Amino acid sequence: MLSLSPAFAATPTLLEQRIEQFFPEATVISEPEGEYRVRTLSDAEGTVYGYAFESIDVFNIPAYSGKPVNMGILLDTEGVIVDAYVLEHHEPILLIGIPEQRLHDFNARYAGIKADQRVVVGRSSDPNAITVDAVSGATVTVMVINEIVMRAAQEVGASLGLVQAHSGARGRPSTVREDVYQPANWSELTGDGSVRRLLLSNADISRAFRGTEAEGIDEVPADRADDTFIDLYAAWLNAPTVGRNLLGDNQYRFLMEELKPGEHAVAVLGNGYSFKGSGYVRGGIFDRVQIRQFGNILSFRDLDHIRLYDLMAEGAPRFQEMAIFILREEARFDPGAPWTLELLVRRQTGPVDSIFTSFELPYETPEQYIERPIPTPEELRAIEEANRPMWVNIWYQKSFQVGVILVALLLLTIILFFQDNFARHPNFLRWLRHGYLTFTVVFIGWYALGQLSIVNVLTFVHALVTEFRWELFLSDPVIFILWTFTAASILLWGRGVFCGWLCPFGALQELINEIARKLRIPQYELPFVVHERLWAIKYIILLVLFGISLESMMLAEKAAEVEPFKTAIMLKFDRQWWFVLYAVILLVVNIFTRKVFCRYMCPLGAALSVSSRVRLFDWLKRRKECGNPCQLCAKECEIQAIHPDGHINHNECHYCLDCQMTYHNENKCPPLILKNKRKTRGKKSPDEQLIPVVQVVEP
């Protein structure tokens, strides 16, 4: 049975269950500790088996909902991910219709991956990256989760000293410029940063332990508070200008000959507090000094230590302690990257208990001493990819889909701008429209998963009143592009462009109904008075969903299942039977009456209708005879968007352009036929025009 800290016992039991499953030998779970609230998993004897933490305590990365996905992550003592599990999410727009089990199956792939490795969803130009396949229908979701899991695991692993910290993408280490040497004295070496200093007073140490159990222990009298506690110096010796001037030519040469490729030497010099410590034993570790680079802790053993007896630099002070510490090849030390010498000061609080406080001496190698490697094209691409924002990588991943959809939207724009020209060729326009609707269903819907939803609208509204971030909406390029085009089309043409051309479920309904008409299946329409009253249903549904979203977006997403989009488009009917049955019923009804759901039930159509009141232009042409006496277009409109009086209700129009094809058809439009007949009757034949002329000139 696990022994839980009070803080952990008060949390939900899901993370506890995961710990019991993956670390059955761990019987003690510590309280959350440190900046990232990490829990140590151990047994009664103190043997540590791993660590547990929640991603929300490390990174608050907002996903598409504007709220973070919280992951429970377990690491072993080698920095390897043992488990990554979703504890909480608010992703109505990213997890749209995706069964959570698929997400859990995806997260299981992180087991066995080390926290400092690169994991890329989909393809990557980095040959060293681990690639995992996305979850169908949730590509953006898993890319967000991948960012959360790997960044959090790497950050916590680095803070625990299990893996190296990353600063973007880490390239090959810099090398020493052995041909660069300038004679320099102590003052010059400290002046240009070749030798760095950390000076601490007794007062500095007292302040560091203030508020801890060690406060007041080993305090010095007040009159000695400003006295020096330690005067510490550090220098990287591989650079000839530093090493030769500090050690002398012979000692520097001997040291470089002892170093193996990839090894580095650091000089540590001090007066006052002993940085070596009195508890050091052969085979042990120096417990008062260590080096941290990329978040990785580099400790020194006796074999890494060389005694230093004298300094050769002119003007160098005398030191009580001097030492050279060797950084071995496996440390992967990079002299071109910043590093820190950490001094650990300990105060005893009991017979075996003590508290450590660390003080940092930062070091950056002067640029003239090192040569930075020129990255290869592959390394440059990998670095660029690793350092790009997540949403940019998603756009690269979906570049093919983005390109095709942009071309398709350009074609649609051409059709809309030159709609009068196309309407004069009705057969061609009908074939073009049916082809476009097929593309909308197959490519935009089933392939690119570009089905807009009322949940998108609710999420956008909530983002405006809480904390709007462009990157939240840029993380799904297909949805972003479609929404951008839809917003622009509403200003120019109204709601109908999206509903009539770009909605995959709407296109699916229309194509099915077209096939039914070709098969001469009877069609039924409601009386216009009843039809007009039923329009209100979708607006009522919209208001209900908006009200629910004010209380809970998760509940609103469930209520938004009134849209069959998730079932029919996003999941291609691969869902529980009751969802499939609902979508199939709507499609079957559509066989006999075109687009019933769109006309009477669609909350997204209602939201777009409200916004389409800002429409700037009226592109659909009408004649004064439309409605009185002519009723042809009103009877032919297959979604009954034309009132008996002849005017088009743009809130309900799907912009199919059928009425415009009739408008320009001289053989079909009654007012146009009558007008042409009148013109014909008003014209006289040439013989009739010559008779009166002849009669006038004869005597």
Side-chain angles (χ1 to χ4, degrees):
M1 182 66 182
L2 286 174
S3 174
L4 302 178
S5 68
F8 187 80
T11 63
T13 59
L14 180 55
L15 188 56
E16 174 192 345
Q17 294 171 357
R18 307 298 290 185
I19 293 173
E20 288 182 326
Q21 177 180 347
F22 291 96
F23 288 99
E25 66 275 20
T27 56
V28 178
I29 299 177
S30 73
E31 295 224 16
E33 299 172 339
E35 178 184 1
Y36 302 131
R37 297 175 55 80
V38 180
R39 299 178 175 93
T40 302
L41 314 178
S42 59
D43 57 21
E45 286 74 32
T47 303
V48 176
Y49 296 99
Y51 305 91
F53 62 94
E54 298 181 25
S55 64
I56 200 170
D57 294 324
V58 186
F59 287 112
N60 190 346
I61 301 177
Y64 210 102
S65 65
K67 299 179 182 179
V69 176
N70 189 22
M71 303 288 298
I73 301 174
L74 306 180
L75 297 177
D76 67 12
T77 55
E78 300 297 322
V80 176
I81 298 173
V82 176
D83 182 48
Y85 197 83
V86 175
L87 298 178
E88 182 182 8
H89 70 82
H90 302 271
E91 290 304 281
I93 207 164
L94 291 180
L95 301 177
I96 186 168
I98 303 299
E100 283 199 356
Q101 187 56 47
R102 296 189 187 179
L103 191 59
H104 297 322
D105 293 341
F106 172 83
N107 294 332
R109 303 174 192 174
Y110 288 99
I113 296 176
K114 197 162 184 179
D116 60 353
Q117 291 181 282
R118 281 202 68 215
V119 177
V120 178
V121 177
R123 54 188 173 86
S124 173
S125 59
D126 184 1
N128 298 318
I130 298 174
T131 58
V132 293
D133 294 331
V135 176
S136 178
T139 303
V140 177
T141 301
V142 298
M143 293 188 80
V144 172
I145 288 179
N146 179 63
E147 181 95 351
I148 292 171
V149 171
M150 295 313 301
R151 284 186 61 185
Q154 196 280 325
E155 189 73 17
V156 171
S159 70
L160 297 172
L162 307 178
V163 298
Q164 296 181 0
H166 286 179
S167 177
R170 185 181 179 189
R172 290 171 292 161
S174 302
T175 56
V176 61
R177 294 188 61 182
E178 299 179 356
D179 58 331
V180 175
Y181 171 75
Q182 289 289 335
N185 56 33
W186 178 260
S187 177
E188 291 169 335
L189 291 173
T190 54
D192 68 3
S194 300
V195 179
R196 302 293 176 105
R197 183 187 189 190
L198 174 66
L199 179 62
L200 297 173
S201 66
N202 291 325
D204 294 327
I205 304 302
S206 297
R207 281 193 294 270
F209 284 103
R210 192 171 298 165
T212 69
E213 296 179 9
E215 182 177 2
I217 298 176
D218 296 335
E219 292 283 352
V220 298
D223 59 346
R224 294 177 51 198
D226 294 331
D227 290 354
T228 297
F229 177 80
I230 188 172
D231 191 8
L232 190 67
Y233 292 82
W236 177 57
L237 297 176
N238 292 53
T241 299
V242 183
R244 286 176 60 183
N245 284 303
L246 286 180
L247 306 180
D249 290 342
N250 289 335
Q251 192 171 351
Y252 173 77
R253 185 177 68 253
F254 294 149
L255 176 63
M256 292 300 106
E257 289 174 352
E258 290 184 14
L259 295 182
K260 298 177 181 178
E263 294 185 341
H264 299 266
V266 174
V268 181
L269 321 167
N271 283 321
Y273 180 75
S274 173
F275 63 78
K276 291 184 180 180
S278 58
Y280 168 73
V281 295
R282 182 170 295 278
I285 295 177
F286 289 88
D287 60 0
R288 293 190 179 183
V289 287
Q290 60 190 20
I291 284 178
R292 181 188 293 269
Q293 188 180 58
F294 303 114
N296 193 29
I297 299 296
L298 309 177
S299 301
F300 301 107
R301 298 181 177 274
D302 61 332
L303 297 178
D304 306 323
H305 170 251
I306 300 175
R307 294 182 183 274
L308 179 59
Y309 296 99
D310 196 11
L311 294 178
M312 306 303 294
E314 180 182 349
R318 298 187 63 84
F319 293 100
Q320 297 173 356
E321 277 188 327
M322 297 187 295
I324 297 175
F325 293 105
I326 308 301
L327 292 160
R328 302 301 177 184
E329 182 182 8
E330 56 269 18
R332 296 182 61 202
F333 180 77
D334 184 356
W339 55 274
T340 301
L341 178 69
E342 293 188 349
L343 174 71
L344 304 177
V345 179
R346 182 176 66 176
R347 280 189 175 180
Q348 203 80 17
T349 58
V352 294
D353 297 326
S354 59
I355 292 180
F356 283 90
T357 298
S358 66
F359 300 88
E360 297 184 352
L361 193 166
Y363 191 99
E364 288 191 43
T365 305
E367 198 66 29
Q368 66 267 25
Y369 298 156
I370 57 174
E371 183 172 356
R372 299 188 182 276
I374 300 175
T376 64
E378 291 77 13
E379 289 174 332
L380 286 174
R381 284 195 296 270
I383 292 172
E384 179 187 6
E385 181 180 343
N387 292 332
R388 286 194 301 251
M390 182 186 64
W391 70 267
V392 177
N393 281 328
I394 295 175
W395 280 69
Y396 274 95
Q397 292 277 347
K398 296 196 171 185
S399 56
F400 171 72
Q401 298 175 12
V402 168
V404 173
I405 289 176
L406 287 176
V407 171
L409 294 180
L410 176 62
L411 172 61
L412 179 56
T413 303
I414 293 173
I415 294 172
L416 296 173
F417 268 103
F418 298 97
Q419 61 186 37
D420 291 338
N421 302 81
F422 284 99
R424 289 185 172 91
H425 306 279
N427 291 332
F428 174 75
L429 181 56
R430 286 192 181 93
W431 278 105
L432 179 62
R433 175 169 166 75
H434 292 158
Y436 203 100
L437 293 178
T438 303
F439 167 82
T440 297
V441 174
V442 176
F443 188 90
I444 295 181
W446 289 334
Y447 177 74
L449 304 179
Q451 173 69 66
L452 303 189
S453 166
I454 187 58
V455 182
N456 303 107
V457 178
L458 298 177
T459 301
F460 182 77
V461 172
H462 278 257
L464 288 178
V465 298
T466 55
E467 186 178 1
F468 183 84
R469 299 180 183 178
W470 275 112
E471 58 267 24
L472 302 181
F473 301 95
L474 288 167
S475 60
D476 192 330
V478 173
I479 297 295
F480 180 81
I481 290 171
L482 290 175
W483 266 119
T484 302
F485 184 88
T486 299
S489 67
I490 285 175
L491 288 174
L492 297 175
W493 298 285
R495 159 227 180 163
V497 172
F498 170 77
C499 296
W501 294 80
L502 294 174
C503 177
F505 187 75
L508 179 62
Q509 291 180 94
E510 188 164 337
L511 291 173
I512 290 175
N513 186 263
E514 280 291 330
I515 295 173
R517 289 170 184 264
K518 295 292 184 184
L519 297 175
R520 301 186 180 278
I521 295 177
Q523 300 294 301
Y524 302 94
E525 296 292 352
L526 295 172
F528 190 85
V529 175
V530 178
H531 164 70
E532 190 177 26
R533 300 298 186 273
L534 294 179
W535 282 342
I537 296 176
K538 59 178 176 287
Y539 295 98
I540 295 173
I541 294 174
L542 173 64
L543 290 174
V544 170
L545 290 176
F546 181 74
I548 294 174
S549 73
L550 296 178
E551 176 66 25
S552 169
M553 275 299 297
M554 292 297 290
L555 187 59
E557 187 222 2
K558 293 179 180 179
E561 291 289 354
V562 67
E563 296 177 327
F565 305 159
K566 306 173 187 180
T567 303
I569 303 301
M570 307 295 288
L571 299 178
K572 308 177 186 68
F573 300 97
D574 182 16
R575 211 176 179 192
Q576 294 92 333
W577 67 268
W578 52 89
F579 290 112
V580 175
L581 178 63
Y582 171 65
V584 169
I585 289 175
L586 290 175
L587 293 175
V588 170
V589 172
N590 171 76
I591 293 175
F592 304 97
T593 302
R594 176 168 290 193
K595 303 178 82 169
V596 171
F597 173 81
C598 299
R599 287 200 261 178
Y600 307 128
M601 298 176 61
C602 181
L604 177 60
L608 296 180
S609 295
V610 173
S611 60
S612 68
R613 293 186 178 274
V614 300
R615 178 175 53 88
L616 301 177
F617 305 101
D618 190 355
W619 298 68
L620 300 179
K621 297 181 179 180
R622 307 297 288 157
R623 292 188 171 87
K624 63 180 180 179
E625 297 90 351
C626 294
N628 185 21
C630 182
Q631 295 288 324
L632 179 60
C633 289
K635 291 181 179 179
E636 284 191 341
C637 181
E638 292 163 348
I639 60 168
Q640 294 177 279
I642 301 178
H643 286 247
D645 63 5
H647 86 272
I648 299 174
N649 187 338
H650 289 278
N651 291 336
E652 305 301 325
C653 174
H654 288 191
Y655 226 87
C656 64
L657 298 178
D658 281 356
C659 62
Q660 298 304 289
M661 287 186 274
T662 300
Y663 178 92
H664 291 286
N665 194 330
E666 296 182 351
N667 299 316
K668 187 175 182 181
C669 177
L672 190 57
I673 293 173
L674 182 59
K675 182 179 179 181
N676 290 334
K677 285 183 177 180
R678 287 173 179 172
K679 286 183 179 180
T680 303
R681 290 173 183 172
K683 289 183 178 180
K684 298 179 180 180
S685 66
D687 293 338
E688 292 174 331
Q689 293 178 3
L690 288 174
I691 291 173
V693 175
V694 173
Q695 289 175 346
V696 170
V697 298
E698 284 184 344

